[in-house]
């Protein structure tokens, strides 16, 4: 089947026709990560994110979970807030697209990392906190359709660029206000260490996606340890109603009409993974 671009070129060359050129904005930008695929994720992997939630920045374990590949969408697609969701959160994340299969336990060092990283990509791990936390449903709370904008570019790094992954700056704005802005060097568990750990429990194929955690600045504001202890004495249903009410008062969660701008690049501009532009709409 001929694409629109090929048809235009054919008409010009064969028929000498004056054909209106195709505008770059005439077609949507699709996710460079195609479905179906595995989507693995790291939770609370940035020290700034751990600190804002009152967690130990020297934590000894890596939090791993999965998202449905149905959540993957294009970098400029609308983010759809399901009707029952009120606490819609954002998380800019560095995505790693696998370039080599993992079929068994492996020890992956920084020197060997280039064999496994096929590409870097911008990702936004959208989360329904009022599903994820009260229901203890990380998979469901993070897997609704459009909950993982990916792209715009599949940035294939050379060896020197892979070594610079700590220099990548993750940045997210809501309606022009900077909410997240941190270097990847703030990660607690780096890509080599994480892929080594993942290899103990999961097979991965070329094209699968690992998203590596988010910096501080998310909308979620967990109560302090003392408040949590007191809340633990309350009936569970009542406790979570109070939690949702308190979170709504923060004003940081995404609502229909908000625009989210997400980017990852080095400060010197040598590596630029591109920028996402997403509009939040009601489902």
């Amino acid at each position: 089947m001929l694409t629109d671009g090929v048809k235009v070129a054919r008409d010009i060359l064969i028929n000498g026709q004056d054909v209106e050129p195709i505008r770059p904005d005439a077609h949507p930008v699709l996710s460079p990560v195609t479905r179906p695929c595995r989507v693995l994720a790291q939770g609370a992997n940035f020290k700034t994110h751990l600190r804002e939630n009152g967690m130990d920045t020297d934590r000894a374990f890596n939090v791993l979970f999965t998202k449905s590949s149905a959540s993957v969408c294009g970098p400029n697609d609308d983010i759809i807030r399901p009707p029952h969701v009120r606490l819609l959160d954002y998380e800019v994340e560095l995505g790693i697209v696998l370039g080599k299969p993992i079929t068994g336990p492996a020890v992956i060092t920084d020197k060997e990392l280039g064999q496994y990283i096929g590409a870097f990509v911008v990702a936004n791990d959208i989360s329904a906190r009022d599903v994820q936390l009260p229901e203890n449903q990380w998979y469901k709370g993070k897997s609704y359709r459009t909950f993982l904008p990916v792209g715009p570019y599949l940035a294939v790094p050379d060896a020197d660029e892979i070594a610079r992954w700590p220099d990548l700056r993750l940045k997210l704005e809501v309606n022009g206000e900077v909410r997240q802005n941190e270097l990847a060097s703030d990660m607690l568990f780096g890509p080599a260490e994480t892929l080594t750990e993942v290899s103990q429990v999961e097979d991965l194929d070329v094209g699968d996606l690992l998203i590596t955690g988010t910096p501080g600045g998310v909308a979620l504001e967990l109560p302090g340890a003392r408040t949590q202890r007191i809340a633990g004495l309350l009936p569970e249903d009542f406790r979570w109603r109070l939690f949702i009410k308190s979170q709504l008062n923060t004003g940081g969660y995404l609502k229909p009409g908000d625009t989210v701008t997400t980017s990852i690049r080095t400060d010197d501009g040598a590596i630029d993974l591109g920028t996402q532009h997403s509009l939040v709409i009601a489902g």
Side-chain angles (χ1 to χ4, degrees):
M1 182 175 67
L2 294 177
T3 65
D4 290 340
V6 172
K7 291 177 183 177
V8 170
R10 179 201 60 190
D11 290 340
I12 292 174
L13 291 173
I14 296 177
N15 303 322
Q17 295 180 359
D18 291 329
V19 180
E20 181 180 354
I22 295 176
R23 304 187 315 277
D25 61 351
H27 299 280
V29 180
L30 303 179
S31 166
V33 175
T34 57
R35 301 181 297 180
C37 64
R38 293 180 183 88
V39 179
L40 296 180
Q42 292 174 261
N45 190 39
F46 277 67
K47 295 173 186 176
T48 50
H49 188 39
L50 288 163
R51 279 194 291 269
E52 72 180 356
N53 285 318
M55 301 168 70
D56 186 0
T57 56
D58 294 322
R59 191 187 63 206
F61 58 90
N62 201 347
V63 175
L64 301 172
F65 62 96
T66 60
K67 286 175 71 99
S68 167
S69 64
S71 65
V72 174
C73 66
N76 302 326
D77 287 352
D78 295 337
I79 296 169
I80 302 171
R81 188 180 76 171
H84 61 286
V85 171
R86 289 177 289 172
L87 304 182
L88 189 70
D89 211 344
Y90 50 83
E91 295 185 3
V92 57
E93 307 211 8
L94 173 62
I96 293 175
V97 182
L98 267 288
K100 177 181 177 179
I102 294 177
T103 57
V107 177
I108 300 169
T109 65
D110 287 335
K111 179 179 284 189
E112 298 165 328
L113 193 56
Q115 301 175 32
Y116 293 89
I117 294 181
F120 290 132
V121 72
V122 182
N124 188 357
D125 177 18
I126 302 297
S127 307
R129 301 297 193 192
D130 41 355
V131 175
Q132 175 196 358
L133 298 176
E135 297 184 16
N136 197 22
Q137 293 270 11
W138 283 51
Y139 179 79
K140 188 170 78 172
K142 288 174 169 282
S143 289
Y144 293 95
R145 286 171 179 81
T146 74
F147 272 30
L148 187 57
V150 176
Y153 307 132
L154 204 60
V156 180
D158 59 27
D160 291 338
E161 290 169 333
I162 287 175
R164 290 198 65 191
W165 72 261
D167 299 331
L168 290 167
R169 181 172 296 280
L170 289 70
K171 187 175 181 181
L172 183 142
E173 301 177 12
V174 178
N175 301 326
E177 175 194 0
V178 177
R179 298 283 186 89
Q180 296 182 280
N181 187 3
E182 188 58 72
L183 293 174
S185 59
D186 193 52
M187 285 186 196
L188 189 60
F189 297 94
E193 189 175 2
T194 297
L195 288 174
T196 295
E197 185 171 356
V198 167
S199 76
Q200 312 302 308
V201 296
E202 179 66 279
D203 290 341
L204 295 176
D205 294 322
V206 172
D208 286 344
L209 178 63
L210 169 69
I211 55 176
T212 53
T214 198
V218 299
L220 175 66
E221 295 183 9
L222 291 179
R226 182 172 180 272
T227 301
Q228 290 188 46
R229 286 195 297 270
I230 295 172
L233 302 175
L234 301 173
E236 184 176 9
D237 183 61
F238 181 64
R239 178 171 75 243
W240 285 115
R241 287 204 306 271
L242 288 179
F243 169 78
I244 292 172
K245 182 179 180 180
S246 69
Q247 292 296 298
L248 288 171
N249 289 334
T250 68
Y253 287 93
L254 298 174
K255 59 187 183 301
D258 285 345
T259 58
V260 184
T261 306
T262 313
S263 63
I264 300 178
R265 57 178 59 90
T266 55
D267 288 344
D268 61 8
I271 306 173
D272 189 340
L273 309 188
T275 302
Q276 299 180 358
H277 302 277
S278 306
L279 175 67
V280 180
I281 65 172

